[in-house]
Amino acid sequence: MLIDAHCHLDFADFDADREAMFERARAAGIEHFVVPGTTRNAWPSVLALGKRADVSVCLGLHPYFMGEHRLEDDADVKALEVALDEHPNVVAVGECGIDARFQDSLEDQWRLFDAQLRLAKRRSLPVVIHCVHANDKVARRLRQLALPKGGLIHAFAGSPEQAQRFLELGFTPGLGGALTYPRAQKLHRVVKSLPADGFVLETDSPDMPLSGEQGQRNEPANVARVCENVAELRGENAASVSAQSTANARALFGLAR
C-alpha cells in the first residue's frame, strides 16, 4: 500500500469526479493522502477533506499565491495560528516556502515563510516546503532555526549534495512525476543516492503530470507509477520501495498505522 504524501485534492480540478478519483487511487493501491493548504480561503475545503479517515491535512500559505495572502499585520499568519488551535488533527504547517521565479515578491515570500517556520517550531509540527531555485538559501535558514520535527521538501529538484544537506537537517525529499522523464538525469542521480529512510512519494495532483501525460490532470493513482520508476532507478522491487515510502511518510507526518 502507498501514501500520496502531497496532493491538492481540494482543488476545483477534482470537483466533477472527486469520489471516482479516490476509487481509482484505492484500486491502484493508494491507502492515504496528505493534502496541504495553500491559502486562507482554501483552508475550509482542505479541512473538510480531512474529515475522511484516509486523508490527513496541512495548513499553510503558499508562495505562489502571494497576491491572495493578507500580509498586513501578519493577518493570515495569525489566522493560521488560530486554525491550528481549532484543528489539532492538522499534521503539518504548509504548503509554504520560497519560489525564486517570482523576484518581485521575494522579500514578502521570505517574511511569510519565516513566520510559518517559527510557528511550526513553536507548535512542534513538521513543515511542507515549496522550494524553487532556492535550495541552498532555504537549507541555510532551516539550519539556523533548527525545527524539531523537520518536514517535507516537496517536489525536490536539486542535486544529490543538496538532498543530503536537507536529510542532515531532518527534512525528507518528495519524489514525484518529474523523475519519470528520461531527461531528468540529475534527479535520477538523487533517487539512486537517497537512503531507504530518505524519501517519500507524491504526485502534487492535479499538477506535475508524468512523462507521456503532459497537459493532462495528474491524480493520486499515479503514485504507483512513480513507485515503479523509483524502484527501477534504485534496482529494488516496487513492493520494497512502497513499504519504505509508506513508513517514511507515516514517520514524517505522525500518521497512525
Side-chain angles (χ1 to χ4, degrees):
M1 302 297 284
L2 283 159
I3 293 174
D4 188 343
H6 190 103
C7 47
H8 297 280
L9 306 185
D10 60 305
F11 281 16
D13 305 66
F14 296 110
D15 284 354
D17 66 339
R18 187 169 282 107
E19 191 52 48
M21 173 272 297
F22 276 114
E23 291 174 3
R24 286 190 292 272
R26 285 192 291 270
I30 319 305
E31 66 173 8
H32 203 82
F33 313 84
V34 181
V35 178
T38 54
T39 67
R40 181 176 174 180
N41 288 339
W43 295 344
S45 58
V46 171
L47 291 165
L49 280 171
K51 295 177 181 178
R52 296 177 57 108
D54 57 355
V55 172
S56 295
V57 300
C58 321
L59 295 181
L61 300 163
H62 194 299
Y64 186 84
F65 303 102
M66 292 303 294
E68 298 183 33
H69 302 323
R70 282 152 280 196
L71 304 178
E72 299 81 7
D73 299 320
D74 295 322
D76 279 0
V77 174
K78 292 174 181 175
L80 177 57
E81 189 151 20
V82 171
L84 294 177
D85 283 336
E86 295 176 347
H87 303 281
N89 60 321
V90 171
V91 298
V93 172
E95 183 174 356
C96 58
I98 299 296
D99 195 320
R101 294 173 298 181
F102 306 108
Q103 290 289 316
D104 58 334
S105 66
L106 204 51
E107 184 176 346
D108 283 338
Q109 285 186 48
W110 275 107
R111 185 162 66 90
L112 186 62
F113 182 40
D114 197 63
Q116 291 178 89
L117 292 177
R118 292 181 180 279
L119 176 56
K121 184 171 183 175
R122 291 196 302 272
R123 297 305 183 96
S124 196
L125 284 170
V127 288
V128 174
I129 296 178
H130 173 101
C131 184
V132 178
H133 303 322
N135 283 321
D136 293 337
K137 291 181 180 179
V138 166
R140 191 177 307 123
R141 188 65 184 122
L142 295 176
R143 184 177 298 279
Q144 292 168 345
L145 281 177
L147 275 71
K149 295 295 186 179
L152 169 66
I153 306 298
H154 157 60
F156 181 78
S159 67
E161 294 76 17
Q162 289 170 326
Q164 181 59 38
R165 194 170 303 128
F166 280 125
L167 288 169
E168 291 170 356
L169 293 169
F171 290 81
T172 303
L175 305 178
L179 65 84
T180 65
Y181 290 81
R183 67 177 182 272
Q185 295 299 309
K186 181 174 71 172
L187 185 52
H188 293 170
R189 292 194 296 274
V190 169
V191 173
K192 295 174 184 178
S193 73
L194 294 171
D197 62 352
F199 65 90
V200 296
L201 305 181
E202 59 178 24
T203 61
D204 198 29
S205 300
D207 300 318
M208 284 180 59
L210 280 61
S211 178
E213 299 181 1
Q214 294 90 322
Q216 300 179 40
R217 184 189 71 177
N218 197 6
E219 59 179 74
N222 286 326
V223 171
R225 186 174 156 200
V226 173
C227 181
E228 291 167 0
N229 277 256
V230 169
E232 182 176 355
L233 287 166
R234 292 172 65 84
E236 302 174 10
N237 63 64
S240 174
V241 170
S242 172
Q244 291 166 5
S245 174
T246 297
N248 296 342
R250 290 194 184 284
L252 171 58
F253 293 113
L255 305 180
R257 294 190 176 277

